[in-house]
């Protein structure tokens, strides 16, 4: 534990300007931070206490925890009918394994090759994946984080289809050349037994049959293999005699094949939309051919062709007609019809239309045995952007209510916020108002994918994730205990009038695709005030109420621009409170249709907002209700710039927001604009560079494309490569202006990049804290504005709030990202807030209750002390100032060659630190207040703008980002959580007895085929079949499932030490486990040997000789 004596630090400081040199990032101090020589240690700035910093590098480690959402670009589907778990493979080489709610596992192939097919080893706790790079992988699911046990890479042939019979250890692999290979699942070695395509087809056939599209063993006889070739050839291969029992030909390409459970018939689906039913006794032609969706011709001709039936499943029932379920096959004359799944049950045909194309589907059946009545009860349908399960037990085929959070991407996510350890009453309150809007009509049965086991784990503090979306919706999610469940959905677009289709488009120069897209969100969990900034330059303030209300929506219009006439006087003390005329502007409702457009005629738009707020009273259901809408207006034909920063304070009753033109402060209690100024005007005489304000350039227009998560005008731009991890210019990130404060090429567009309300010392000679607004700009300037609030709560609604510059200006390198305030003990000071009360509560009566304000954080409620520390972080460096002396105590230059995308001051283990995410992929944490580096790991290359826009840190060592357009990836930077992660994750495999096969009866066993006596080991083993060619496939041993391997710690030796200690601690347990495992293996081997001897003894005896 390291102690810092601030008195000694301050005594050694020299008297120089507080905004002087900002150097010293690589010199003395712990890990690169150094004491900045600035300011004098006045009486008010001399700490009387030593601050103990409890956090060390041992507290930090990074690992991914869990991934939520729908698997991006899905390609394959598999289900274990005994374990009842589902696996989904994707185009990016990922596998998601889902069980009961809470059991959700993500694993990734190292190659990143697309997953072609997945096959469970049913009830064995293992999964085989076949990938587009012609590799097979065996995954061990008997651990919480699955790992590859074996891989087999085919060198000369491309894999097209795999089949693993139930309770078999031999995997059939079909290839593009038409050959069929056999792989031993236990050793992952190729058998010498190969079914060559030229042996399978008739010798007289002159053409190649095409790739293998289907493989399955007969339900009646495991020694017979059905091989389907793309061109329509079907071969029934006898594995023992190594010859074809029968061959069938059809003149349309085959897409899939399905058996009847008795093994006498099978069904094929074809490229012309037809289904053919074949009998093994008469293979010359199908005994039944149907085109289910084809129109019947009047003259008795064959029905017209339809779209291909990509997959068919043929499932039998004991007490009813069989189910025939297929995807595709619709007629060509209806091009607008949506993708559909057809269910044929007897004579009834039901077509289920889907919202997205069907990738794959599976029928869930009561039995895992293929030779029994299947008794289907549900169909899992994997769509390109959704997963649905249809209940087959009810005649109207309802769908099951999906318990997984797979609708995160219902509308594209544009921004995220993450709150750990928030007030515990929020989750039930949000759930209660959200539950009233749930859809009806779901199946009343239990969700059928119910495998695995999951418990709450040790960390049970409440967590909430908020996602903002392109359609203006906001979703609140319960993220406690590494799960995710939707609580409440808010539609912000409801405050605006609907746009008429096509209105204003004829004369449009620019049209925003998603005018309601959420750009920023600000939430105060204690007061329940919620605020959003939209892409069309508006801010909406929401208050939470449990009661429905009918009311008009209050709205204000703000004009933000910087002109020479607006320049403020040099004496800030005598300055007026900057009233703004735009709050009295007439509301021009007649132009509601021309949203986000610039007229091409001579008329210039001015003082018009981009959208029109509803003028009539609006019914607002319980939950978040719009209290005030603030819109920026057009100025001299130029559309308003997008909002770049946002802050709200419920105790002050103020909302502040800024863009590249300037800053606006609005009193949402009195519904008045307090301040609307250009950025340069905020400095007054305090501007260290004495720049002249000038009108903003008129070339900048709306930056569309929030849907695709592109950046805002002042944020990231793809101008020049600065990220060493980037491979091309499109993936590089850079700021839109030089980070040097001396560069004033674009300072007329100095954006407001950070805002923070706090109780602070506004000026050097202040003896007590007062209400302040800290303003950070894109050029690294920090301006402190004083807020003069009415003295008593009774006067708050009537007396004006005065906002005035304090004259204090601080500087950093690069755009300012975040602020925080520590008290004299080094404890994080909570922002002031008003304790929530229902604005429409019935027990209020006529009297208005007094507001209950919490001005200081509970931890330091006695007295703020005579000084505090201000933590300011920019995209290049972090500084800690002592207030009111404004002495820069510490400075740490975080990066020279890159820049920060996100920085947050967070609490961890009852202490506080600064967490940073850099554009070069590094995640860093710094101690506070001394800014010692505690963690620096090159963890996440920023390959996509989505990561840059959605990454956020929160308390207790948690963070998240959008890893794909449909998935949220959560990670932790806390060593404690990394250590406890195994306890929090769900178990994929649980011990379940395999159901017994039905008693087949004596006569059925005698005359129903010789399937039971088929010995694959003898046929495919090395002794009989020999070895496969070494050049055909290469065996690659897997990692074997070593758990706990975490991200490489960039040069931190402590990780090795921790790993060594952990290994020592667990060594004894592993030794005991090894001994037990060896003993079990020896006993299993002895049993296997004995069973083999018994089998050989009775092998050639007839049944009557026993």
């Amino acid at each position: 534990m390291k102690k810092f004596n601030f008195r000694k630090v301050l005594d050694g400081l020299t008297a120089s300007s507080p905004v002087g040199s900002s150097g010293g990032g690589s010199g003395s101090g712990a890990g690169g931070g150094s004491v900045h020589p600035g300011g004098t240690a006045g009486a008010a700035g001399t700490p009387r206490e030593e601050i103990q910093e409890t956090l060390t590098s041992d507290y930090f480690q990074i690992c991914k925890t869990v991934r939520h959402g729908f698997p991006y670009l899905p390609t394959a589907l598999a289900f274990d009918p005994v374990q009842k778990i589902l696996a989904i493979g994707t185009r990016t080489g990922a596998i998601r394994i889902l069980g009961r709610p809470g059991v959700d596992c993500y694993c990734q192939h190292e190659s990143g090759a697309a997953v072609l097919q997945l096959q469970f080893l049913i009830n064995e706790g293992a999964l085989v994946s076949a990938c587009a790079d012609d590799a097979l992988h065996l995954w061990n699911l008997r651990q919480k984080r699955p790992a590859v046990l074996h891989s087999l890479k085919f060198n000369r042939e491309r894999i097209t289809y795999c089949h693993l019979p139930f309770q078999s250890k031999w995997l059939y692999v079909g290839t593009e050349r038409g050959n069929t290979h056999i792989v031993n699942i236990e050793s992952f070695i190729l058998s010498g037994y190969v079914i060559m395509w030229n042996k399978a087809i008739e010798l007289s056939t002159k053409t190649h049959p095409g790739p293998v599209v289907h493989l399955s063993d007969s339900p009646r006889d495991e020694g017979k293999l059905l091989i389907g070739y793309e061109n329509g050839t079907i071969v029934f291969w006898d594995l023992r005699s190594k010859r074809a029992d029968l061959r069938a030909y059809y003149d349309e390409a085959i897409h899939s094949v399905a058996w009847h459970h008795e093994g006498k018939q099978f069904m094929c689906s074809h490229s012309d939309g037809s289904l053919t039913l074949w009998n093994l006794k008469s293979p010359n032609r199908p005994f039944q051919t149907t085109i289910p969706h084809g129109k019947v011709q009047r003259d008795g001709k064959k029905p017209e062709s339809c779209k291909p039936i990509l997959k068919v499943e043929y499932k039998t029932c004991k007490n009813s007609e069989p189910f025939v379920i297929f995807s595709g096959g619709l007629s060509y004359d209806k091009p607008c019809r949506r993708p559909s799944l057809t269910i044929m049950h007897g004579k009834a045909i039901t077509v289920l239309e889907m919202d997205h194309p069907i990738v794959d589907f599976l029928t869930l059946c009561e039995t895992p045995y293929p030779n029994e009545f299947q008794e289907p009860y549900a169909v899992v349908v994997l769509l390109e952007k959704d997963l649905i399960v249809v209940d087959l037990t009810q005649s109207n085929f309802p769908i099951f209510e999906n318990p997984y959070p797979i609708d995160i991407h219902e509308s594209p996510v544009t921004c995220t916020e993450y709150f750990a350890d928030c007030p515990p009453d929020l989750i039930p309150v949000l759930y209660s108002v959200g539950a009233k809007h749930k859809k009806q009509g779901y199946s009343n049965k239990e969700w059928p994918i119910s495998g695995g086991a999951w418990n709450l784990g040790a960390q049970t503090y409440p967590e909430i994730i908020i996602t903002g979306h392109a359609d203006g919706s906001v979703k609140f999610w319960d993220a406690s205990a590494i799960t995710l469940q939707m609580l409440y959905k808010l539609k912000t677009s409801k405050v605006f009038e609907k746009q008429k289709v096509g209105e204003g488009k004829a004369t449009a120069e620019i049209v925003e695709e998603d005018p309601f897209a959420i750009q920023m969100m600000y939430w105060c969990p204690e007061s329940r005030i919620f605020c959003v900034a939209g892409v069309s330059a508006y801010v909406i303030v929401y208050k939470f109420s449990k009661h429905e209300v009918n009311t008009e929506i209050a709205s204000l219009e703000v004009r933000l621009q910087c002109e020479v006439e607006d320049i403020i006087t040099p004496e800030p003390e005598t300055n007026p409170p900057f009233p703004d005329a735009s709050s009295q502007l007439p509301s021009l409702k007649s132009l509601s249709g021309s949203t986000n457009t610039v007229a091409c005629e001579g008329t210039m738009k001015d003082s018009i907002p981009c959208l029109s707020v509803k003028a009539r009273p609006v019914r607002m259901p319980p939950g978040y209700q719009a209290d005030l809408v603030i819109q920026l207006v057009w100025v001299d034909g130029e559309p308003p710039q997008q909002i770049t920063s946002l802050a709200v304070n419920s105790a002050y009753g103020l909302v502040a927001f800024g863009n590249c033109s300037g800053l606006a402060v609005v009193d949402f209690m009195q519904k008045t604009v307090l301040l609307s100024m250009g950025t340069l005007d905020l400095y007054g005489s305090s501007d260290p560079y004495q720049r002249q304000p000038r009108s903003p350039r008129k070339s900048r227009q709306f930056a569309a494309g929030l849907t695709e998560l592109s950046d805002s005008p002042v944020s990231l731009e793809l101008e020049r490569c600065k990220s060493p991890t980037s491979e091309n210019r499109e993936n590089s990130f850079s700021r839109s202006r030089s980070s040097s404060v001396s560069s004033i090429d674009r300072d007329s567009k100095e954006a407001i990049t950070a805002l923070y309300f706090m109780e602070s010392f506004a000026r050097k000679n202040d003896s007590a804290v007062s209400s302040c607004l800290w303003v950070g700009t894109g050029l690294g300037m920090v301006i402190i504005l004083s807020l003069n609030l009415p003295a008593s709560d009774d006067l708050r609604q009537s007396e004006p709030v005065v906002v005035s510059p304090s004259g204090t200006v601080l500087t950093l390198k690069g755009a300012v990202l975040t602020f925080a305030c520590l008290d004299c003990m080094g404890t994080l000071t909570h922002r002031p807030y008003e304790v929530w009360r229902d604005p429409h509560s019935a027990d209020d009566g006529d009297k208005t209750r007094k507001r209950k304000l919490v001005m200081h954080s509970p931890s330091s409620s006695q007295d703020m002390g005579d000084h505090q520390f201000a933590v300011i972080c920019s995209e290049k460096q972090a500084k800690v100032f002592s207030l009111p002396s404004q002495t820069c105590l510490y400075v740490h230059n975080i990066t020279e060659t890159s820049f920060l995308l996100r920085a947050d001051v967070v609490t961890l283990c009852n202490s506080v630190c600064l967490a940073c995410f850099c554009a070069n992929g590094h995640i860093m944490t710094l101690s506070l207040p001394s800014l010692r580096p505690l963690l620096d790991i090159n963890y996440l290359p920023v390959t996509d703008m989505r990561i840059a826009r959605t990454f956020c840190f929160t308390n207790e060592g948690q963070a998240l980002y959008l890893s794909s357009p449909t998935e949220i990836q959560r990670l932790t930077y806390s060593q404690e959580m990394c250590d406890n992660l195994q306890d929090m994750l769900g178990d994929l495999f649980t011990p379940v007895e395999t159901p017994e096969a039905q008693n087949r009866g004596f006569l059925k066993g005698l005359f129903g085929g010789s399937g039971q006596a088929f010995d694959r080991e003898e046929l495919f083993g090395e002794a009989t079949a020999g070895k496969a060619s070494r050049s055909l496939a290469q065996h690659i041993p897997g990692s074997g499932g070593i758990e706990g391997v975490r991200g490489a710690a960039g040069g931190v030796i402590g990780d090795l030490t921790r790993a060594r200690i952990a290994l020592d601690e667990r060594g004894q347990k592993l030794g005991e486990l090894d001994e037990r495992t060896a003993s079990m293996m020896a006993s299993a081997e002895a049993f296997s040997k004995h069973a083999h001897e018994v089998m050989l003894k009775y092998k050639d005896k007839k049944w009557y000789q026993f």
Side-chain angles (χ1 to χ4, degrees), residues 874-891:
S874 75
E875 63 180 7
K876 292 286 185 183
Q877 67 177 185
K879 285 187 178 182
V880 174
F881 291 90
S882 176
L883 300 178
S885 68
Q886 296 174 16
T887 306
C888 180
L889 295 177
Y890 289 97
V891 59

Side-chain angles (χ1 to χ4, degrees), residues 417 520-524 529-533 539-541 630 643-659 663-668 752-758 772-776 787 817 819 831-832:
E417 290 296 337
M520 284 184 167
M521 301 179 292
Y522 193 101
W523 190 43
C524 176
I529 291 278
F530 182 62
C531 196
V532 298
V539 170
I540 310 175
V541 180
I630 309 152
I643 291 163
T644 55
S645 56
L646 175 68
V648 192
N649 191 281
S650 54
Y652 302 162
L654 302 180
V655 56
F657 58 94
N659 61 10
L663 170 72
V665 182
V666 172
D667 182 340
F668 64 78
I752 306 294
T753 55
L755 294 165
Y756 190 77
F757 287 103
M758 67 167 126
C772 297
L773 171 62
W774 288 59
V775 181
L787 307 174
L817 294 180
F819 298 105
R831 289 179 289 264

Side-chain angles (χ1 to χ4, degrees), residues 319-585:
N319 300 317
S320 70
E321 295 283 327
F323 278 90
V324 176
I325 302 167
F326 61 88
S327 60
L330 295 178
S331 60
Y332 282 105
D333 64 348
K334 293 180 180 175
C336 295
R337 279 191 74 170
R338 295 191 291 179
S340 64
L341 186 81
T342 304
I343 300 173
M344 297 168 65
H345 188 214
K347 293 183 178 179
I349 298 180
T350 306
V351 178
L352 305 177
E353 290 193 336
M354 306 293 168
D355 292 332
H356 310 283
I358 296 172
V359 175
D360 199 359
F361 73 90
L362 284 174
T363 309
L364 309 188
C365 300
E366 296 289 354
T367 176
Y369 295 93
N371 57 358
E372 297 177 356
F373 280 106
Q374 296 297 286
E375 305 295 349
Y377 60 89
V379 183
V380 179
V381 189
L382 177 64
L383 308 176
E384 275 187 7
K385 293 185 178 180
D386 203 357
L387 177 75
I388 64 167
V389 182
V390 181
D391 185 354
L392 292 179
T393 62
Q394 298 180 47
S395 58
N396 60 336
F397 303 130
I399 64 169
F400 289 87
E401 185 175 5
N402 198 319
Y404 312 131
I406 59 167
D407 57 346
I408 292 170
H409 63 286
E410 187 179 17
S411 170
V413 177
T414 53
C415 56
T416 58
E417 290 296 337
Y418 191 5
F419 299 86
D421 212 7
C422 45
D425 59 332
L426 276 174
I427 288 174
V429 161
L430 286 168
Y431 183 79
S432 66
V433 294
K436 294 169 184 171
H437 306 292
K438 281 201 166 183
K439 293 178 184 174
Q440 304 297 319
Y442 290 113
S443 169
N444 52 12
K445 297 273 180 71
E446 288 283 319
W447 178 251
I449 304 161
S450 55
W454 178 77
N455 57 11
L456 274 171
Q459 285 167 313
T460 54
Y461 49 80
E463 297 173 67
I464 290 177
I465 291 171
I466 309 178
T467 54
H469 299 263
D471 63 354
S473 61
V474 174
K475 292 180 181 178
F476 291 76
W477 306 84
D478 176 7
S480 310
I482 70 168
T483 61
L484 196 70
Q485 184 183 10
M486 177 125 110
L487 293 171
Y488 173 67
K489 181 177 178 179
L490 171 67
K491 294 180 180 176
T492 65
S493 59
K494 287 193 170 180
V495 305
F496 298 107
E497 297 285 0
K498 283 185 180 175
Q499 295 172 267
K500 294 177 184 176
V501 179
E503 188 175 5
K505 298 284 173 78
T507 58
E509 280 180 13
I510 43 169
V511 176
E512 180 64 59
E513 283 182 11
D514 296 294
F516 307 115
I518 305 293
Q519 197 165 11
M520 284 184 167
M521 301 179 292
Y522 193 101
W523 190 43
C524 176
E526 290 80 11
S527 64
R528 302 186 190 173
I529 291 278
F530 182 62
C531 196
V532 298
V535 74
S536 299
Y538 61 82
V539 170
I540 310 175
V541 180
Y542 284 92
K543 289 186 176 177
F544 188 87
S545 175
K546 294 180 181 178
H547 304 279
E548 184 176 309
V549 64
N550 260 301
T551 183
E552 286 194 17
I553 301 166
S555 66
L556 290 172
E557 290 171 4
V558 176
R559 187 182 179 95
L560 260 189
Q561 65 172 1
C562 41
E563 294 177 353
V564 179
E565 297 82 61
D566 292 339
I567 195 159
I568 60 176
T569 53
E571 298 80 34
E573 283 76 15
T574 60
N575 214 33
F578 314 119
D580 185 65
S582 66
S583 56
Q584 282 84 40
L585 285 171

Side-chain angles (χ1 to χ4, degrees), residues 1012-1030:
Q1012 299 307 308
F1014 177 59
D1015 185 359
R1016 293 188 180 93
E1017 180 70 41
E1018 185 182 352
L1019 201 57
F1020 304 145
E1022 194 177 312
T1024 311
K1027 288 186 178 179
S1029 167
R1030 284 189 178 182

Side-chain angles (χ1 to χ4, degrees), residues 639-691:
Q641 301 296 307
Q642 287 181 358
I643 291 163
T644 55
S645 56
L646 175 68
V648 192
N649 191 281
S650 54
Y652 302 162
L654 302 180
V655 56
F657 58 94
N659 61 10
C660 11
S661 300
L663 170 72
V665 182
V666 172
D667 182 340
F668 64 78
M669 293 179 72
Q670 295 187 26
K671 311 286 190 287
T672 57
V673 180
L674 302 177
L675 179 79
S676 171
M677 311 191 99
T679 312
L680 296 188
D681 303 337
L682 294 170
Y683 291 102
S685 60
S686 305
D687 185 357
Y689 301 102
Q690 296 303 314
R691 295 160 292 182

